[in-house]
Amino acid sequence: MKKKKVSITDLAKELNVTPSTVSRALNGLGNISTKRKEQIVNLAQKYGYRPNHIAKSMVSNKTFNIGLILPEFTHNYFNNILAGIESITYQKGYQLLICTSDALKEKEEKSCMTLLDARVDGILAAAGNSSDNLDHFSKIIDYGTPLVLLDRICEDLNTSYVITNDFDGAFEAVQYLIDSGCHNIVHIKGPDYISTSFNRFLGYQQALKKNSLNYREELVIAGDSEFFLDDVNNILNTFPIDGFFAFSDYNAYEVVKVLKQRDCKIPEDISVIGYADEPLAQYISPQLSTVKQPAYEIGKRAAEILLKIIEENIEVPMTEQLKTSLVHRETTKNKFISI
Amino acid sequence: MKKKKVSITDLAKELNVTPSTVSRALNGLGNISTKRKEQIVNLAQKYGYRPNHIAKSMVSNKTFNIGLILPEFTHNYFNNILAGIESITYQKGYQLLICTSDALKEKEEKSCMTLLDARVDGILAAAGNSSDNLDHFSKIIDYGTPLVLLDRICEDLNTSYVITNDFDGAFEAVQYLIDSGCHNIVHIKGPDYISTSFNRFLGYQQALKKNSLNYREELVIAGDSEFFLDDVNNILNTFPIDGFFAFSDYNAYEVVKVLKQRDCKIPEDISVIGYADEPLAQYISPQLSTVKQPAYEIGKRAAEILLKIIEENIEVPMTEQLKTSLVHRETTKNKFISI
DNA sequence: AACTATTAGGCAAACGTTTGACTGGAATTT
DNA sequence: AAATTCCAGTCAAACGTTTGCCTAATAGTT
C-alpha cells in the first residue's frame, strides 16, 4: 500500500507555523530566523521529507520532464541517440518520458497528445516513415511546447532540427568507391519520402555525375522490396557490377551474403559500403565499410538544444547538422593503392 | 513561449456554471442534463480542451507513470527488455520515466529518489553490479511503491522479481558440450557477486559433476580480466581444451577470434557456447551457439506483474522465472551425430 | 392542492506547494 | 519619547481537478 508521505503542511502543523514559513525555510528564501530555519530543516530531515514534484509543477507550470518519441528501441541507432540524450538530461536534472511510435502515424499522434497532456517541458522526436501528415507535430508547436526533431527534416515544420548530412555522407561513400576503381555502382535505396534516404540517393547520383559516370536507373534497387535478394542476383547477372552503396548496413549485409554465396571476392571484385555503422558492421566477415552516423552526438546535441530553448526561452528555431564519416573496413579497397 | 492551455475553470466561466459541473459533464459522472452536457462537451471540443494530468495526479495521488532503472541502453539485452515493457505500459496507458544507472550505485540511488519524488506509481529496475548496499531499493519498498526487480535476485530484498534460470541455462549448455564429445571445457565467468553470473558458474560445475568430470579451477577464466586474451591463449597452450562455455556472447566472440587466429577448427576441434543471444551471435562467422535469454518477455512479464500489483493493490511479492533456451548454431557440433 | 421524490447543479474542501501582500512587534534612529 | 525601519512570520490566493454534501427547483404521486 502506498504510504502517504510527509508534507510541508505536516511539518508546519507540528511546529505551529504556517506552510509558507516551512516552504521558505526549506528553499532558503524569505526572512526567517536562523533557529527557526534550523528547527524546520531538522524536522524535515527527521521525517525524511521530500518535496512533491507534482505539486511543484502545479504552481510553477514546469515539470522537468522531457518527452521523447522514437520509432523503436531495438535498433542500435536509436539507442545511441537515447544514450546521448540521457547524458544531458540527467546532468541537467530532467527526466525522460519515452514513447515508441513503431513508425506508425497513429501511435506517433497519440504519443504527442500524451506528452502534451503530461505537460512536458519539451519534446524530442524522430519522425517515423509516415510521409505526409504532420499535424500532430504542428500541434506541439502551436501549444508552444519546444520541439526538436531528429534525423529527418520535415519541410513544413518550422521548428528546430538536429540532422546529419546524408547527402554528403552518401557522396563521400560513392566518391570513395569511384576513387578505388569502381565504375558500375549499384545503389540500394530506402523509401523516397524519407528525407534521409532520399538525400543519400541524391548524393549517390551527384557523385556519379561529378565523376562523369552516367546515372542508370537500372542500377538502383529498393532495399525494402520483397524481391530484394532476387533483384540483387539479377543485377549481378546482367551488369558488370563492381560496387554497392547501400542505404543501410542491414541491406549491405544481405548483399555481402549474396556475394559470398556467389564466390565473389570482396573487395577485389566487388566493393560494398553500408550506412549507419551498426554494430553488425564490425562483426560480419568481411567487416563492413560504412558511413558512420554520430548517433550519440545527435542525441546529445538535440537534448542540449532543447534545454537551451526551454531554459532561455528561445523562440527562433535552430538547425544543426552533424558530420558523418566514412569508415573503411574490409569491404572496400584501399583507394590509394588501387587507383 | 508556452501557451496557457484552457482549463475546466475557463470553460465553466464561459458557460456560467461551476467547475464541478464541467468536470462531471466531461467525465460522464453525476447528474447533468443532456443539453448542458452537450453544451459543455461542445465548448471543450471547440477550445481543444485537454485535461491536465498534473492536476489530476494531485487529487488522485496517481500519476500513471512507471519508473524504469536500467544500467544502460547501448546493449541489446536491455533494449529488448525496454521494448517488452513498453508494449505493456503503452497498452495500459502508462508512461515510462527512464533512468540509466551506468551500473553505478550512486546513480542508481539518485534515480530511485528522483522517481520516488516524481511520485511514480511503480518502479521496474535491473540492479547494476554494485554488490552490497541496496538501501535505495529498500527505500522504495518502505515508501510502499510497488517494485519489480529484473534479472538479478537480491537476497535481502523482499519484493517481486522476474528472472531467468541461469543455473539451468548454463547446465544445459555444458551438458550439450559434453554430449557432443567435449571433456575439457573452459568456463569464462563473470563477476561472482552478480547472482546471474554466479549461477551460470554453478550450472557449469554441476553439469561437470553430473557427468563425472572433475571441476578444475585452472579451467576457469575471468571474462572481465585485463589479461583475458592472454589467459585464453595460455590455457589453450597448456591443456587439451575442446570446449568453451562463456558467461557472455562478447567473451565468446573474443574466444572465437583467438581460435580462428590459431587455426583451430570450430566446432570440430573446439566448440564454443556464449550467453544471451546478442545480435552479434548471428552475424559473426561461424555463427555462435548461445543460450538465449527471453529479454523481451522478461520486460513484458515484469511490466505485467508491476501493473497487476499497482492496479489490484497486491501486497505479496511474486517471483517469476522464465526459461532460457539453447540455440545451436555453428560453433557447436550436432550432438546426435558426434556422440 | 399538498406532499414526496427526483434531478440539476452549486458549494467548498482537498491535493502540496509557492509567493505577493500584509502585520505585529522589536530594534533602531532622531 | 516619538517616529522610523526592519524582521519574522502569517494570510490568502493560485495552480486544475475531483467529489461528498447540500439545495432549489422541477416532476410525479396521491
Side-chain angles (χ1 to χ4, degrees):
Chain A
M1 199 69 239
K2 230 165 153 181
K3 290 194 185 62
K4 203 177 157 307
K5 298 176 183 67
V6 44
S7 76
I8 260 187
T9 322
D10 298 332
L11 298 179
K13 272 188 195 134
E14 176 144 349
L15 293 175
N16 282 317
V17 294
T18 58
S20 24
T21 309
V22 177
S23 172
R24 290 189 229 263
L26 261 19
N27 294 314
L29 307 166
N31 303 324
I32 277 176
S33 68
T34 337
K35 40 200 167 338
R36 177 98 319 161
K37 184 168 172 174
E38 230 171 66
Q39 184 189 27
I40 290 174
V41 169
N42 285 340
L43 193 71
Q45 185 110 49
K46 177 181 156 198
Y47 284 143
Y49 166 77
R50 300 244 101 207
N52 184 327
H53 277 200
I54 309 268
K56 268 193 164 124
S57 295
M58 275 251 62
V59 10
S60 67
N61 201 27
K62 181 149 170 60
T63 57
F64 281 94
N65 286 164
I66 299 293
L68 174 60
I69 303 175
L70 290 181
E72 38 100 2
F73 291 101
T74 52
H75 277 102
N76 208 263
Y77 178 61
F78 292 114
N79 294 313
N80 283 329
I81 287 183
L82 171 56
I85 292 171
E86 226 269 344
S87 75
I88 298 298
T89 51
Y90 175 79
Q91 172 199 324
K92 294 267 206 158
Y94 285 75
Q95 289 301 302
L96 239 30
L97 264 177
I98 68 169
C99 300
T100 52
S101 66
D102 296 333
L104 297 174
K105 210 182 69 183
E106 189 206 342
K107 282 191 80 176
E108 205 171 273
E109 284 168 356
K110 200 175 155 196
S111 297
C112 287
M113 291 321 290
T114 311
L115 292 175
L116 251 17
D117 289 350
R119 266 45 177 188
V120 293
D121 295 339
I123 293 179
L124 294 167
N129 299 348
S130 50
S131 54
D132 43 359
N133 194 319
L134 294 163
D135 280 359
H136 46 301
F137 287 127
S138 341
K139 198 167 282 173
I140 296 177
I141 300 171
D142 292 347
Y143 272 174
T145 300
L147 171 68
V148 177
L149 254 22
L150 306 181
D151 200 46
R152 258 183 81 189
I153 289 271
C154 305
E155 290 301 338
D156 311 334
L157 247 36
N158 181 34
T159 189
S160 295
Y161 292 90
V162 175
I163 53 172
T164 52
N165 49 352
D166 289 282
F167 179 91
D168 294 343
F171 187 97
E172 196 185 346
V174 176
Q175 183 68 55
Y176 188 97
L177 289 174
I178 296 170
D179 286 348
S180 64
C182 302
H183 291 91
N184 297 285
I185 301 170
V186 173
H187 178 47
I188 318 282
K189 74 165 185 177
D192 276 342
Y193 51 82
I194 308 183
S195 70
T196 51
S197 61
F198 189 66
N199 285 332
R200 289 173 206 172
F201 184 29
L202 289 181
Y204 161 78
Q205 292 173 304
Q206 198 58 39
L208 294 182
K209 193 170 172 189
K210 168 111 183 286
N211 290 273
S212 317
L213 294 173
N214 284 333
Y215 162 67
R216 284 180 295 167
E217 213 176 319
E218 316 90 79
L219 297 193
V220 175
I221 301 178
D224 54 0
S225 153
E226 53 176 322
F227 308 112
F228 177 65
L229 293 179
D230 296 335
D231 291 347
V232 172
N233 274 304
N234 285 340
I235 220 166
L236 286 167
N237 294 335
T238 319
F239 302 97
I241 301 305
D242 50 16
F244 280 88
F245 168 58
F247 146 82
S248 87
D249 285 343
Y250 295 98
N251 283 141
Y253 169 58
E254 297 291 325
V255 169
V256 167
K257 273 210 294 203
V258 171
L259 295 177
K260 280 165 80 175
Q261 271 167 19
R262 298 171 65 107
D263 281 324
C264 281
K265 278 197 195 128
I266 307 172
E268 293 78 4
D269 297 343
I270 301 185
S271 297
V272 181
I273 297 184
Y275 212 106
D277 198 19
E278 292 277 329
L280 79 89
Q282 297 185 58
Y283 290 125
I284 64 174
S285 147
Q287 292 192 332
L288 182 67
S289 298
T290 188
V291 179
K292 183 186 175 77
Q293 288 182 297
Y296 186 90
E297 277 299 321
I298 292 172
K300 204 174 146 188
R301 277 306 290 150
E304 281 171 354
I305 289 177
L306 184 70
L307 292 189
K308 198 176 166 66
I309 295 172
I310 291 172
E311 296 188 340
E312 299 176 19
N313 243 292
I314 295 169
E315 299 275 351
V316 22
M318 25 191 161
T319 290
E320 185 155 326
Q321 204 177 53
L322 300 181
K323 281 205 166 49
T324 57
S325 55
L326 188 61
V327 182
H328 166 61
R329 294 206 181 91
E330 298 170 357
T331 60
T332 43
K333 291 178 271 189
N334 187 321
K335 71 174 171 181
F336 300 109
I337 289 174
S338 42
I339 284 175
Chain B
M1 200 67 237
K2 228 165 155 181
K3 291 194 184 63
K4 204 178 155 305
K5 297 174 184 69
V6 42
S7 74
I8 261 187
T9 322
D10 298 331
L11 298 179
K13 271 189 195 132
E14 177 145 347
L15 293 175
N16 282 315
V17 294
T18 58
S20 25
T21 308
V22 178
S23 171
R24 289 189 235 260
L26 261 21
N27 294 313
L29 307 166
N31 304 324
I32 277 177
S33 67
T34 337
K35 41 202 166 337
R36 179 96 321 158
K37 183 168 174 175
E38 233 170 64
Q39 184 190 28
I40 291 174
V41 169
N42 286 339
L43 193 73
Q45 185 110 49
K46 177 180 156 199
Y47 284 145
Y49 166 77
R50 298 245 104 206
N52 184 326
H53 277 199
I54 309 268
K56 270 194 164 126
S57 295
M58 275 250 60
V59 10
S60 67
N61 200 28
K62 181 150 171 56
T63 56
F64 281 93
N65 285 165
I66 299 293
L68 174 61
I69 303 175
L70 290 181
E72 38 101 2
F73 291 101
T74 52
H75 277 100
N76 207 263
Y77 179 60
F78 292 114
N79 294 313
N80 283 329
I81 288 182
L82 171 56
I85 292 171
E86 226 269 345
S87 74
I88 298 298
T89 51
Y90 175 79
Q91 171 199 326
K92 293 267 205 159
Y94 285 76
Q95 289 301 303
L96 239 29
L97 265 177
I98 67 168
C99 299
T100 52
S101 65
D102 297 333
L104 298 174
K105 208 181 71 182
E106 189 206 342
K107 282 192 80 177
E108 205 170 273
E109 285 168 355
K110 200 175 156 197
S111 297
C112 288
M113 291 323 288
T114 310
L115 292 175
L116 252 15
D117 288 350
R119 263 54 174 181
V120 293
D121 294 339
I123 294 179
L124 294 166
N129 300 347
S130 49
S131 53
D132 43 0
N133 195 320
L134 294 163
D135 280 359
H136 45 302
F137 288 128
S138 342
K139 198 168 283 175
I140 296 177
I141 299 171
D142 291 347
Y143 272 173
T145 300
L147 170 68
V148 176
L149 253 23
L150 307 180
D151 200 47
R152 257 184 81 189
I153 288 270
C154 305
E155 289 301 339
D156 311 337
L157 247 35
N158 180 35
T159 190
S160 296
Y161 292 89
V162 174
I163 54 173
T164 52
N165 49 352
D166 290 282
F167 179 91
D168 295 342
F171 188 97
E172 195 186 346
V174 176
Q175 182 69 54
Y176 188 98
L177 290 174
I178 295 170
D179 286 347
S180 64
C182 302
H183 292 91
N184 296 284
I185 303 169
V186 174
H187 179 48
I188 318 284
K189 73 166 186 175
D192 276 342
Y193 51 81
I194 308 182
S195 69
T196 51
S197 62
F198 189 66
N199 285 332
R200 290 173 205 172
F201 184 30
L202 289 181
Y204 161 78
Q205 292 174 306
Q206 199 58 37
L208 295 181
K209 195 170 171 187
K210 168 110 184 288
N211 291 272
S212 316
L213 294 174
N214 282 333
Y215 163 67
R216 283 180 295 166
E217 212 175 319
E218 316 90 78
L219 298 194
V220 175
I221 301 178
D224 54 359
S225 154
E226 54 176 321
F227 307 113
F228 178 65
L229 293 179
D230 296 336
D231 291 348
V232 172
N233 274 303
N234 284 340
I235 221 167
L236 287 167
N237 294 335
T238 317
F239 302 98
I241 300 304
D242 50 17
F244 279 88
F245 168 59
F247 146 82
S248 86
D249 285 342
Y250 294 97
N251 282 141
Y253 170 59
E254 297 291 325
V255 168
V256 167
K257 274 210 294 203
V258 170
L259 295 177
K260 281 164 79 174
Q261 270 166 19
R262 298 171 65 109
D263 282 323
C264 282
K265 279 198 196 127
I266 307 173
E268 292 78 4
D269 298 344
I270 300 186
S271 298
V272 181
I273 297 184
Y275 212 106
D277 198 19
E278 292 277 329
L280 79 90
Q282 296 186 58
Y283 290 124
I284 66 174
S285 143
Q287 293 193 330
L288 183 66
S289 299
T290 188
V291 179
K292 182 186 176 75
Q293 288 181 297
Y296 186 90
E297 277 299 321
I298 293 173
K300 205 174 145 187
R301 277 306 291 151
E304 282 171 353
I305 289 176
L306 184 69
L307 293 189
K308 198 176 165 68
I309 295 172
I310 291 172
E311 297 189 339
E312 300 176 19
N313 244 290
I314 295 169
E315 299 275 352
V316 21
M318 27 191 161
T319 290
E320 184 156 324
Q321 204 177 52
L322 300 181
K323 281 208 166 44
T324 57
S325 55
L326 188 61
V327 182
H328 167 59
R329 295 205 181 91
E330 298 171 358
T331 60
T332 41
K333 290 178 271 189
N334 187 321
K335 72 176 171 181
F336 300 108
I337 290 174
S338 41
I339 282 174

